[in-house]
């Protein structure tokens, strides 16, 4: 019995070392949740853009009020740059809205504007809009 105890005590550090070296198996990465206009994007646009793009003001003839914004954006030509589509599903870089949010547009001003000029949206908001457009700009 004494010899068995010696073997167990001698092997203990080795077993602990092996346990410490083993890597836990990560769970499969979750796919990001699908981004839809009605699910996430509409709330963002109403909050960040609704002050100027509403039924009363309709800057650039764009209305982003709840329930109507999607129809004013997706596959619609810009009133100021008719050769450009505001939101081209699957193509953020080809969408004038995305260009305006990035400040890379050829026509008009970058958005959103504040009394002090253009103020780029926070990164997480921009990423949400980019994912929405890239994934097909679903309602």
């Amino acid at each position: 019995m004494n010899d068995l105890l010696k073997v167990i005590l001698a092997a203990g550090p080795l077993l602990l070392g092996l346990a410490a070296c083993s890597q836990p198996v990560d769970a499969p990465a979750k796919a990001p949740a699908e981004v839809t206009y009605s699910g996430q994007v509409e709330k963002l646009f109403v909050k960040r853009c609704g002050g100027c793009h509403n039924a009363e003001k309709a800057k650039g003839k764009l209305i982003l009020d709840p329930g109507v914004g999607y129809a004013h954006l997706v596959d619609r030509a810009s009133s100021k740059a008719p050769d450009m589509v505001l939101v081209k599903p699957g193509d953020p870089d080809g969408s004038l809205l995305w260009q305006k949010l990035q400040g890379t547009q050829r026509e008009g001003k970058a958005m959103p504007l504040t009394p002090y000029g253009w103020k780029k949206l926070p990164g997480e908001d921009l990423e949400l809009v980019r994912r929405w457009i890239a994934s097909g700009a679903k309602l």
Side-chain angles (χ1 to χ4, degrees):
M1 195 67 124
N2 218 359
D3 290 335
L4 180 59
L5 185 57
K6 287 180 185 178
V7 170
I8 292 171
L9 290 174
L14 176 63
L15 294 174
L16 286 175
L18 289 173
C21 291
S22 67
Q23 296 294 322
V25 176
D26 291 332
K30 290 183 181 179
E34 181 179 53
V35 179
T36 63
Y37 187 83
S38 58
Q40 299 96 339
V41 178
E42 181 176 60
K43 294 174 198 136
L44 168 69
F45 286 163
V46 168
K47 177 182 175 185
R48 302 277 190 186
C49 313
C52 294
H53 296 287
N54 58 58
E56 292 177 20
K57 292 183 184 177
K59 297 276 185 164
K61 299 180 183 176
L62 178 59
I63 300 170
L64 296 176
D65 289 339
V68 300
Y70 183 86
H72 287 257
L73 287 170
V74 178
D75 287 324
R76 297 290 297 261
S78 166
S79 65
K80 300 211 177 191
D83 62 320
M84 292 290 299
V85 174
L86 291 174
V87 173
K88 186 176 182 182
D91 186 5
D93 293 329
S95 300
L96 183 59
L97 173 70
W98 180 247
Q99 293 174 16
K100 285 180 159 275
L101 292 174
Q102 292 294 305
T104 60
Q105 77 289 345
R106 293 183 324 241
E107 303 283 337
K109 297 177 182 173
M111 294 291 148
L113 287 177
T114 71
Y116 308 103
W118 175 52
K119 183 174 192 258
K120 196 169 190 174
L121 291 176
E124 60 271 8
D125 291 349
L126 288 171
E127 179 59 17
L128 183 73
V129 174
R130 189 201 64 73
R131 281 182 45 218
W132 171 62
I133 297 171
S135 66
K138 297 177 182 111
L139 179 60

